Amino acid sequence: MTNAHTDLAAAWTASIPRHWCWMRNKELLFEAQTLSTDGSEELLSVSHLTGVGPRSEKNVTMTEAESLDGYRVVEQGDLVINTMWAWMGALGVARHAGIVSPAYGVYRPRPSAPFEPRFFDYLYRSTEYVIEMTRVSRGIWSSRLRIYPEVFLRMAVPVPPLEEQRAIADYLDREIARIDTLIEEQQRLIEMLRERREATIRSVLLSGLDAADKGPSGVELLGAIPRHWRMVPTRHLCTITTGSEDSGNATEDGDYPFYVRGREVLRIDHYSFDGEAVMTPGDGQGGTGKVFHYFKGKFEAHQRVYVFKDFAGVSGWYFYYFLSTFLRPVALAGSNTVTMESLRRPLLADFKIAVPPLDEQRRIMAYLDDQTAKVDTLIAEAERFIELARERRSALITAAVTGQIVMPGVA
């Protein structure tokens, strides 16, 4: 008996019904080695979220290979494992025939094996089984772990009678569909709330809170603004500079926030800025014109992060609201000098802010803070619901595939 068999069986023995048996994967499956001769079959992708399915139906950003010759042939009902991402749960039983990368493992049920594909799709993708596959994988770093065929085929797996496998799969198909529907509803709610939040901010930043007479802003994409407001380039409202640090200078337990090119705020042991400031990366992984920060105090900034400070005639917080709302849509649409890859200082300096009187700015900020806080609370509640639903989903699958739920009509 292998260590894998011993450990998994020991962990699950208390919950596995006595009439189930333990088998090794090699008793159920064999490694399928058939390769495509011309790559004409449908290309499949393997996701830790959705399992195995046609790549054309999934949102895949990785570039497709020029030739699919030599890809591994997958038949309906085969188990496909992304060898390098099994520790993330990137595997599943194929519901469509096709081909996958030659780097993936393809395992085909033995003709006489008690193997209901839907049941084993749930079992192999369950949190506990993925953890067990991770434990027996090999690699220097956790992100480089690989599960090799000989190791996977030696692993143990609990096997109910075939009739019970089908009953469990039917039960999970119904219950998981209900949970997934609830999750999708909450995701749509979050999307709607974010749209409402953005619309509220846009409306108030261009119209204010009073029924003021409006006139052209001078910026076509912004339309009209209250006539007593001014459109002022940022260079007349603040100082624009950049940091001088590199991300490699970050320290895990540094005393000061360190604003770099991504969304994450790192820490560092020293600071170059002290005061109210708005930051946005000139480029980086977060997406140009998508990442903004507001901070008041001592901090440090990356050499490619723009820092707006020393505000005059405008609140830094109001400035943050306006810049983070309108810089990207207006700047990208209005200039050929900005690309998705970088923002240039002249464009930032010439970008115009709609500036109300200071007392009106304060009322606008208070209103937006109140409104966005309410929406953010609703979004947080929806996100928490999704988190709990996913936990319930995972627990239900584990309970079912380990025989902890009695299936109606099954002896």
Side-chain angles (χ1 to χ4, degrees):
M1 184 176 290
T2 65
N3 289 336
H5 191 162
T6 302
D7 292 342
L8 189 64
W12 284 9
T13 289
S15 56
I16 300 298
R18 291 181 181 277
H19 66 283
W20 290 21
C21 66
W22 282 94
M23 299 178 73
R24 295 182 184 181
N25 283 321
K26 66 181 180 182
E27 297 177 84
L28 297 171
L29 304 160
F30 66 94
E31 188 177 14
Q33 305 276 12
T34 309
L35 303 180
S36 174
T37 55
D38 57 9
S40 62
E41 299 88 343
E42 179 151 31
L43 181 60
L44 306 178
S45 68
V46 183
S47 164
H48 69 288
L49 296 175
T50 57
V52 182
R55 179 187 169 107
S56 59
E57 297 178 3
K58 298 189 178 184
N59 183 22
V60 180
T61 57
M62 292 182 64
T63 304
E64 186 174 324
E66 291 184 5
S67 172
L68 304 181
D69 293 0
Y71 269 46
R72 304 187 78 163
V73 173
V74 176
E75 294 183 358
Q76 185 178 1
D78 285 355
L79 172 67
V80 183
I81 300 178
N82 182 333
T83 308
M84 294 180 291
W85 291 93
W87 61 274
M88 280 279 291
L91 56 99
V93 175
R95 300 192 180 192
H96 302 80
I99 52 176
V100 295
S101 164
Y104 293 179
V106 178
Y107 303 93
R108 188 156 300 154
R110 295 187 181 279
S112 59
F115 190 92
E116 163 55 45
R118 293 177 299 140
F119 171 81
F120 282 97
D121 183 69
Y122 284 119
L123 191 150
Y124 286 131
R125 295 175 61 202
S126 67
T127 301
E128 285 69 17
Y129 208 84
V130 170
I131 290 173
E132 185 63 12
M133 282 195 283
T134 303
R135 191 184 68 78
V136 299
S137 295
R138 294 291 178 265
I140 300 175
W141 300 296
S142 59
S143 60
R144 299 287 184 182
L145 289 175
R146 287 172 176 258
I147 184 160
Y148 295 96
E150 62 274 18
V151 175
F152 171 73
L153 290 171
R154 280 202 308 268
M155 289 182 65
V157 63
V159 181
L162 197 52
E163 178 188 2
E164 196 166 349
Q165 291 182 30
R166 293 176 181 136
I168 292 172
D170 290 343
Y171 169 80
L172 286 176
D173 283 350
R174 290 193 304 271
E175 296 303 314
I176 296 303
R178 289 173 186 166
I179 294 174
D180 287 347
T181 298
L182 292 175
I183 291 174
E184 289 171 3
E185 289 174 354
Q186 292 300 307
Q187 289 171 330
R188 286 196 293 272
L189 173 62
I190 290 172
E191 184 177 350
M192 184 189 69
L193 288 169
R194 286 177 174 155
E195 290 174 355
R196 182 196 300 177
R197 186 184 193 280
E198 184 176 346
T200 299
I201 294 173
R202 284 172 176 266
S203 173
V204 173
L205 290 177
L206 295 178
S207 300
L209 300 173
D210 309 315
D213 184 30
K214 299 177 73 174
S217 66
V219 178
E220 184 178 355
L221 290 172
L222 296 181
I225 62 171
R227 290 188 183 278
H228 64 288
W229 292 16
R230 299 175 299 139
M231 293 296 295
V232 185
T234 61
R235 65 177 182 276
H236 295 315
L237 295 171
C238 60
T239 300
I240 306 174
T241 185
T242 63
S244 58
E245 296 289 338
D246 186 79
S247 298
N249 297 329
T251 54
E252 186 173 346
D253 300 320
D255 294 328
Y256 306 101
F258 180 20
Y259 295 94
V260 293
R261 298 159 70 195
R263 295 182 183 277
E264 184 181 7
V265 180
L266 306 182
R267 305 296 296 184
I268 199 166
D269 287 330
H270 54 272
Y271 67 91
S272 300
F273 302 94
D274 185 2
E276 184 180 42
V278 174
M279 283 71 68
T280 187
D283 56 21
Q285 298 177 345
T288 303
K290 289 184 175 180
V291 177
F292 296 87
H293 300 283
Y294 171 87
F295 189 71
K296 198 171 186 179
K298 299 179 176 64
F299 69 93
E300 191 54 271
H302 186 275
Q303 57 187 319
R304 288 294 295 134
V305 169
Y306 289 105
V307 179
F308 303 82
K309 63 188 185 70
D310 305 326
F311 298 103
V314 66
S315 159
W317 187 230
Y318 177 89
F319 185 93
Y320 167 82
Y321 265 125
F322 197 94
L323 193 73
S324 61
T325 302
F326 293 113
L327 176 64
R328 182 176 174 84
V330 173
L332 285 175
S335 172
N336 292 326
T337 61
V338 62
T339 70
M340 296 296 285
E341 288 76 33
S342 64
L343 280 172
R344 303 303 179 194
R345 188 180 303 216
L347 179 138
L348 294 174
D350 291 338
F351 182 74
K352 292 182 178 179
I353 304 288
V355 182
L358 283 171
D359 63 333
E360 194 171 351
Q361 289 181 38
R362 284 190 281 272
R363 287 195 295 118
I364 287 173
M365 288 183 290
Y367 177 81
L368 288 180
D369 288 349
D370 177 68
Q371 295 298 307
T372 55
K374 291 176 181 175
V375 175
D376 289 345
T377 297
L378 295 174
I379 291 174
E381 290 174 354
E383 289 174 337
R384 178 58 179 157
F385 179 93
I386 290 173
E387 181 182 348
L388 292 173
R390 285 178 173 154
E391 290 176 1
R392 163 67 177 159
R393 187 184 194 279
S394 176
L396 187 68
I397 291 172
T398 297
V401 300
T402 54
Q404 298 174 54
I405 300 175
V406 177
M407 294 296 125
V410 176

